[in-house]
Amino acid sequence: MNTAGAHLHRLTYNRQLIVDDVDSRHVVNHLIAQGVLDVDDDEEIRAERTRKDKVELLIEKVTEGGPDAYKHFREALGDNYQHIVVKLDATPMDAGNYQRGDAFVHKGSNIDMKFAERNKGATKYVEVKGDGNFVLMADHGSQINFNNGRKPQDYM
């Protein structure tokens, strides 16, 4: 897994912990000083209604912030969020080669994912079955459809 993929994996794997625990006000100034964010990004983050929405947008901006964004985000967590830094550093990297736009499932989950090998344009078809919860993540502008019992091959 390349460095960018590893950083994205760590943020994705620990996303809920970050959203639940971090206050964006505690890390934004450091990210602005390091050039990861600019003043417009800060205003956009502050405009979000809830603290959790602010952190969600902050994570999005970090994932889009260039090669050093993760390093500076990790530094910004500093002493206030040392427990998150420890979790980020301890994130298991054996869950597969996760890249932006790919499906990611932690190996400990009870979910079976099957990918259709054929793509129609940029579309990827994924079948997800399981007895637990799962999270679907997509880039801006993506569409996720739930199709009761229909198989990926039904769309090809």
Side-chain angles (χ1 to χ4, degrees):
M1 182 180 306
N2 65 33
T3 303
H7 295 164
L8 181 59
H9 169 74
R10 285 185 172 108
L11 288 171
T12 302
Y13 191 89
N14 294 289
R15 185 179 199 95
Q16 194 60 52
L17 174 66
I18 296 166
V19 169
D20 287 345
D21 290 7
V22 171
D23 186 329
S24 62
R25 296 175 298 179
H26 297 150
V27 297
V28 166
N29 287 339
H30 179 82
L31 295 175
I32 290 171
Q34 297 302 319
V36 175
L37 301 177
D38 59 27
V39 176
D40 291 336
D41 292 325
D42 182 30
E43 289 176 9
E44 191 178 343
I45 290 167
R46 288 176 190 250
E48 292 293 322
R49 284 189 59 208
T50 68
R51 184 196 58 76
K52 288 185 177 189
D53 289 342
K54 292 173 187 191
V55 177
E56 289 279 2
L57 183 56
L58 174 64
I59 293 170
E60 181 181 323
K61 294 206 175 274
V62 168
T63 63
E64 298 170 351
D68 292 331
Y70 173 82
K71 175 182 84 168
H72 294 305
F73 176 71
R74 191 184 167 286
E75 290 168 358
L77 294 173
D79 294 331
N80 291 330
Y81 302 104
Q82 189 60 37
H83 66 289
I84 295 175
V85 172
V86 169
K87 286 278 198 178
L88 288 169
D89 292 347
T91 299
M93 299 308 293
D94 63 348
N97 288 331
Y98 179 76
Q99 300 291 328
R100 180 179 291 285
D102 289 344
F104 165 77
V105 178
H106 185 262
K107 284 186 176 181
S109 67
N110 293 321
I111 296 174
D112 177 32
M113 297 188 80
K114 297 178 183 174
F115 293 86
E117 292 299 320
R118 287 185 249 152
N119 288 335
K120 289 187 177 177
T123 303
K124 292 182 181 179
Y125 297 91
V126 180
E127 178 181 349
V128 180
K129 291 191 272 184
D131 59 0
N133 296 326
F134 61 91
V135 175
L136 297 174
M137 294 177 49
D139 287 339
H140 180 71
S142 297
Q143 181 177 353
I144 299 173
N145 297 310
F146 293 89
N147 299 298
N148 299 324
R150 294 178 73 183
K151 305 284 186 216
Q153 59 269 23
D154 294 340
Y155 298 100
M156 295 180 201

